[in-house]
Amino acid sequence: MALYVLVSAAGEVYAAAYFQRADAFVALLLSFTVVCLTFNLLARHDTSKAGVGNRSLLVFAVLNVVTAISWIGLFIGLKYVEPAIVVAFMVALGPTATVWLNAVIRRQGVPPASDIVVSASIAMIASYMIWISASGNAGVEWGARSSFGIVLAIVAGLSLALTNVLVKLLFDRGFSGRQVLAHRFYGTIILLLGLVDYSSIVLEISQHWFAIAAVGVSTMIVPLLLIQQGIRYVEPFTVNMVLSTAPIITFLFQYFDSRIVPSSHTFLGNILITAVAVSNIYLQYRRSA
């Protein structure tokens, strides 16, 4: 799990730097096509016999939509906003929203008071992170599209929460991790086909083929395989604790990106997000123990 956090944090900082000079939609289309083909090849060797019925087909369809929103929102957000702030939104909003989505979709009842307090705390810290960016105190200068990047980061975090719930539903119905990974990126590719500038594809491949491959491997293929193995072999409490360190690890990797100026405000926001996330995980662990 620690390796997952390190690889994904490094990949996201690298992707943010690369997208400054690249056609992001072309790069993402090529990366996700390779990712989809890779996971489909891996799924061919899967022993699970679960079939896609009408109910599961609907879940897969919705999963494809929210996967497209979360991943494209993440990467475009990285283009316009400091990576450590984007990751903070993903880490904080995802688990918090999952609690509320489980209450609605999986009918688990009203969240306990502690989860409501955590949700309010996350909202306040998220507001502080937005102020950091808008006031010019982040590591990346506030630009014309920075507010768009912030919105995408928030939407991506909320979409990730719905993704987790939908994946859990498919696991409950007997699908394996490889099967889910093989069939969750079709919607992302279709959306990118509608956004991409086809005249740029050949040029982008010829000039940035290594960067495109590096983004796909470091931010998608390797992290998704690592987290799948981590969830399989490590206790959920440990998994969540390690994942909560992602904003701080991402902040440290930003020192390798010369365009990002280290910001004490961002670091404080990441510390607060991590503290609330760890407290929330501990409270959930105590309730389930």
Side-chain angles (χ1 to χ4, degrees), residues 69-235:
I69 295 171
S70 61
W71 280 95
I72 295 176
L74 165 65
F75 284 115
I76 302 303
L78 287 172
K79 183 178 177 69
Y80 300 119
V81 182
E82 184 180 355
I85 291 179
V86 174
V87 173
F89 278 119
M90 299 291 286
V91 168
L93 296 179
T96 303
T98 300
V99 172
W100 295 92
L101 289 170
N102 274 326
V104 176
I105 297 176
R106 301 181 70 206
R107 303 180 186 280
Q108 293 188 352
V110 177
S114 59
D115 285 340
I116 296 174
V117 172
V118 166
S119 298
S121 300
I122 291 295
M124 289 189 291
I125 298 172
S127 299
Y128 170 65
M129 301 292 266
I130 293 172
W131 174 82
I132 290 173
S133 295
S135 62
N137 289 303
V140 175
E141 184 178 356
W142 183 264
R145 297 189 178 182
S146 296
S147 57
F148 178 58
I150 289 285
V151 171
L152 287 178
I154 294 172
V155 171
L158 296 175
S159 299
L160 179 62
L162 183 54
T163 297
N164 293 336
V165 174
L166 294 171
V167 169
K168 178 60 177 174
L169 282 175
L170 292 171
F171 285 167
D172 291 343
R173 295 177 184 179
F175 290 92
S176 69
R178 288 185 178 183
Q179 284 179 307
V180 173
L181 287 172
H183 302 303
R184 65 178 286 188
F185 294 109
Y186 303 134
T188 306
I189 294 173
I190 292 171
L191 178 57
L192 287 168
L193 284 171
L195 296 171
V196 74
D197 178 4
Y198 291 93
S199 64
S200 302
I201 292 179
V202 174
L203 180 63
E204 195 69 30
I205 293 175
S206 63
Q207 292 185 344
H208 301 124
W209 64 269
F210 178 80
I212 292 169
V215 169
V217 171
S218 65
T219 63
M220 289 174 264
I221 295 176
V222 173
L224 287 170
L225 290 174
L226 286 174
I227 194 170
Q228 181 174 290
Q229 293 302 311
I231 291 171
R232 177 177 297 178
Y233 295 114
V234 180
E235 290 296 321

Side-chain angles (χ1 to χ4, degrees), residues 112 114 235-237 240 280-289:
S114 59
E235 290 296 321
F237 176 73
N240 289 326
N280 187 33
I281 293 163
Y282 178 73
L283 290 171
Q284 292 177 352
Y285 174 75
R286 288 289 302 270
R287 286 200 301 267
S288 62

